[in-house]
Amino acid sequence: MAHEDEETLVRRLREAGCVFAEEEARLLLAAADGREARSELVERRLAGEPLEQVLGWVEFCGHRVIVGPGVFVPRKRTALLVDVAVEELATSAHPRPVVVDLCCGSGAIGLVVAARLRERRREVELHATDHDPRAVACARQNLAPINAQVHHGDLQSSLPTALRGRVQVLIANVPYVPTGAIAALPPEARDHEPLAALDGGADGLDVVRRVAALAPQWLAVGGSLLVETGHQQSRPAAEEFSRAGLAPRIVDWDYTCAIVGRLVSSRSGR
């Protein structure tokens, strides 16, 4: 590729508002075979489509994860959920703990959690589910190599009933942006990712409430529900966990919080 081509692309990316124009230019040039294909990728990026969707992949916790157009792009801050999930599973005595990834998107969280457990010579029975068929298609590509089961449905609606009362860790990276704040999101997210993956209702906790309410039906005693929230939402989210019968704790990080809710005793009617 001629040096001036890269310089020109860097300039165009900068003019379009790309902060890391040099790095993006290298990635775009490496991803394209031929001038026509390169031009298509570049124009998609200049039009505001997220770089990850243009490239078709994102690096998440050291793993390359497939993402397609219209699929939520995993955020670096969500590494906190991975770390907490692995911590929770490390204490499980079950030889093959059951992990469920609700609102799985591309399947990135489940993929990395399973990989981290394999590094410890542990296997998991992984189930992932999402209501968006585009996300489900990506998750199936990402999770096929580890034989995870990917289901298409709203929250728990498509999970096998045999999982009830058996889940050690239920991860739900639910939408938690308040509806009134959607307009202030970067255009890459607001215009190119599914609204349902971003909008958490008036206070951002609509889906958190739904997940907290359903979790005790699926968790094993001692099992945990994990969700991500913003710092201002962490205490209200923990209160929702308590109301659902889960013992909550808040894990703070620089950019986000993980709310962990442990099921300490079974409920009648499960």
Side-chain angles (χ1 to χ4, degrees):
M1 188 66 58
H3 180 63
E4 59 268 25
D5 284 351
E6 184 170 339
E7 287 184 346
T8 299
L9 177 54
V10 169
R11 175 179 54 78
R12 295 179 69 196
L13 289 167
R14 281 180 181 156
E15 290 173 352
C18 299
V19 177
F20 303 104
E22 291 85 355
E23 181 181 353
E24 290 198 14
R26 287 193 293 271
L27 289 169
L28 288 165
L29 293 173
D33 293 325
R35 184 172 296 275
E36 184 175 340
R38 180 175 71 247
S39 177
E40 179 185 350
L41 295 185
V42 168
E43 292 307 317
R44 286 172 60 191
R45 180 60 183 136
L46 292 174
E49 191 172 345
L51 177 67
E52 297 84 0
Q53 293 179 3
V54 173
L55 296 175
W57 59 270
V58 60
E59 184 176 330
F60 179 69
C61 296
H63 293 258
R64 182 174 285 201
V65 179
I66 297 168
V67 291
V71 174
F72 182 81
V73 177
R75 308 314 199 233
K76 292 185 183 298
R77 62 177 175 263
T78 303
L80 177 62
L81 278 187
V82 172
D83 292 342
V84 175
V86 172
E87 175 188 307
E88 292 289 308
L89 289 164
T91 63
S92 173
H94 197 285
R96 191 167 180 254
V98 176
V99 176
V100 171
D101 184 1
L102 290 184
C103 307
C104 70
S106 63
I109 297 175
L111 176 69
V112 180
V113 168
R116 294 268 182 91
L117 267 291
R118 284 200 304 274
E119 291 171 0
R120 302 182 181 207
R121 298 185 179 181
R122 298 279 305 280
E123 294 294 327
V124 300
E125 179 184 342
L126 176 62
H127 294 259
T129 181
D130 202 286
H131 76 284
D132 189 325
R134 296 168 299 182
V136 169
C138 275
R140 284 177 175 155
Q141 291 182 73
N142 286 313
L143 298 177
I146 60 173
N147 297 316
Q149 295 187 46
V150 182
H151 312 279
H152 180 206
D154 181 47
L155 296 181
Q156 86 284 11
S157 64
S158 61
L159 289 176
T161 56
L163 295 181
R164 288 180 179 270
R166 294 183 50 227
V167 178
Q168 273 70 50
V169 169
L170 176 59
I171 308 165
N173 189 20
V174 301
Y176 60 87
V177 179
T179 302
I182 294 293
L185 290 177
E188 289 183 351
R190 187 182 65 234
D191 299 337
H192 296 280
E193 293 182 318
L195 182 61
L198 303 170
D199 191 343
D203 63 355
L205 296 178
D206 281 2
V207 188
V208 170
R209 293 185 183 92
R210 292 179 61 197
V211 171
L214 67 87
Q217 305 169 38
W218 298 89
L219 291 174
V221 174
S224 298
L225 166 65
L226 314 179
V227 303
E228 176 184 308
T229 72
H231 287 284
Q232 293 183 336
Q233 298 160 314
S234 61
R235 291 192 181 281
E239 292 170 2
E240 294 295 339
F241 277 37
S242 293
R243 276 191 279 272
L246 303 171
R249 67 183 175 96
I250 299 171
V251 182
D252 286 300
W253 199 36
D254 288 346
Y255 307 107
T256 189
C257 292
I259 316 301
V260 184
R262 189 180 299 276
L263 185 67
V264 294
S265 65
S266 61
R267 284 182 160 186
S268 60
R270 171 178 289 171

